[in-house]
Amino acid sequence: MNRRQRRSIKKPKQKVFTIAAPPMNKLAAPTQITLDRCYANQFLNCDGGLSREHYISESLLERFEKIPAKGIPWLAHLDGDISPASLVTRCLCEYHNSFLSPLDQFVGPAFDAFVRFGANRPEKAFVDGRYLELWMLKLLIGLLCTNKIMHKGYTFSRADIPSDWIRWLYEDQKVPNGLGLYVFHFVNERLDFSKSFTIAPAFFEKRILGIRVELSGFRFLLALEPKENAFKKDHPDYSYILYRPKGFNKDPYPQEVTFKWFDAV
């Protein structure tokens, strides 16, 4: 096919989607009420009893008839599939759990957009990168509260969660520049855009660096230490991760995923 013939091919009209969720609220004023097991009790405004928290958001889990254990490293030793009802922990009071519900509502539709990207549909999806960043932070904190994350013989717990992480999650503060969401660049590789997800905490020596999440072929790293601390410069991930990218497109299909960052339109 020559250049003129390629120009004459009419591309299908591109649909535009915006992945929206309710806005995050401002925290309630301190009431001096705290629950010991609520990881957000530093704000002194706990309310209600401890709730059953899906540390992997239910809006993501409900998109699967079965949850394969192989996508969840600390459960990979189990045979077969696992029940979403088992992926819960009591680590938040009712108020602080419901406060984060916009993040839980967001991740399911965002996952759908990544799945459609792999299906070669003519569309442009706007995904809120800030919400994705905060959702991954919520996921990581919830995982640490399960007391099931181990590395080099050490079991991580709530005691390993810096108070800064909790402030970033609840107080609508920007994560310091250089920390936050990275996306692995697609460089001459065959990607698997199957309807799947995997999650794995990322470690640096004996510390938590952040968390890696793959959502239908899109590979993300939430880095909570500077990139220079996490990777040696000759490490393959050093060059091929992009910090808060604008998005991705796929030729020859009129298909894009565009990330919105903070107040950018």
Side-chain angles (χ1 to χ4, degrees):
M1 182 181 296
N2 60 37
R3 186 178 300 174
R4 180 175 296 176
Q5 288 172 318
R6 284 198 298 269
R7 280 200 201 114
S8 66
I9 296 177
K10 190 174 182 179
K11 292 184 178 180
K13 186 176 180 181
Q14 189 180 51
K15 296 181 179 179
V16 178
F17 295 87
T18 297
I19 311 303
M24 300 282 283
N25 294 320
K26 296 294 183 183
L27 275 172
T31 60
Q32 308 307 312
I33 298 175
T34 64
L35 290 182
D36 287 343
R37 290 175 58 189
C38 175
Y39 69 71
N41 63 12
Q42 68 191 51
F43 301 114
L44 306 178
N45 56 2
C46 291
D47 192 14
L50 287 172
S51 61
R52 286 170 56 85
E53 157 73 357
H54 277 88
Y55 52 88
I56 303 175
S57 296
E58 195 170 11
S59 76
L60 176 60
L61 296 176
E62 68 187 11
R63 279 156 168 78
F64 297 85
E65 292 183 8
K66 300 177 180 179
I67 309 298
K70 66 181 181 180
I72 306 174
W74 61 96
L75 299 177
H77 64 285
L78 301 176
D79 293 327
D81 304 312
I82 56 178
S83 165
S86 66
L87 299 174
V88 296
T89 186
R90 293 185 182 274
C91 61
L92 287 171
C93 69
E94 292 177 5
Y95 169 65
H96 288 126
N97 189 6
S98 63
F99 184 91
L100 299 177
S101 62
L103 301 179
D104 294 318
Q105 294 176 48
F106 158 82
V107 71
F111 177 76
D112 293 340
F114 300 142
V115 171
R116 291 195 300 267
F117 187 89
N120 297 328
R121 296 184 181 180
E123 71 173 57
K124 181 172 185 175
F126 288 96
V127 176
D128 191 324
R130 169 179 161 273
Y131 265 36
L132 183 59
E133 192 171 83
L134 290 175
W135 174 78
M136 289 179 63
L137 180 57
K138 174 183 180 291
L139 172 62
L140 175 59
I141 291 173
L143 294 182
L144 297 180
C145 289
T146 66
N147 299 319
K148 294 179 180 179
I149 305 302
M150 298 182 64
H151 182 65
K152 294 186 176 181
Y154 179 76
T155 300
F156 289 86
S157 69
R158 177 185 153 185
D160 296 291
I161 303 170
S163 60
D164 280 351
W165 294 5
I166 300 171
R167 287 194 302 101
W168 296 339
L169 183 59
Y170 277 90
E171 293 189 329
D172 198 21
Q173 297 183 7
K174 294 182 181 180
V175 175
N177 193 39
L179 307 188
L181 192 69
Y182 286 82
V183 182
F184 287 81
H185 194 26
F186 306 154
V187 181
N188 298 325
E189 59 180 316
R190 188 179 183 85
L191 297 173
D192 179 11
F193 286 106
S194 61
K195 186 179 178 180
S196 62
F197 74 89
T198 59
I199 58 178
F203 303 98
F204 174 61
E205 297 178 349
K206 290 188 177 181
R207 303 196 306 276
I208 288 280
L209 160 69
I211 188 168
R212 295 172 184 264
V213 177
E214 182 169 331
L215 299 171
S216 188
F218 281 78
R219 291 179 292 156
F220 303 100
L221 167 67
L222 178 71
L224 298 170
E225 289 206 19
K227 177 181 174 182
E228 292 74 17
N229 291 355
F231 304 108
K232 295 180 180 179
K233 290 193 175 182
D234 59 351
H235 191 287
D237 287 349
Y238 192 90
S239 299
Y240 295 119
I241 57 174
L242 305 176
Y243 182 59
R244 292 177 177 167
K246 292 182 178 179
F248 295 97
N249 57 64
K250 215 165 47 163
D251 289 329
Y253 304 97
Q255 188 161 17
E256 302 172 57
V257 168
T258 298
F259 293 105
K260 296 173 65 177
W261 293 105
F262 304 100
D263 296 328
V265 178

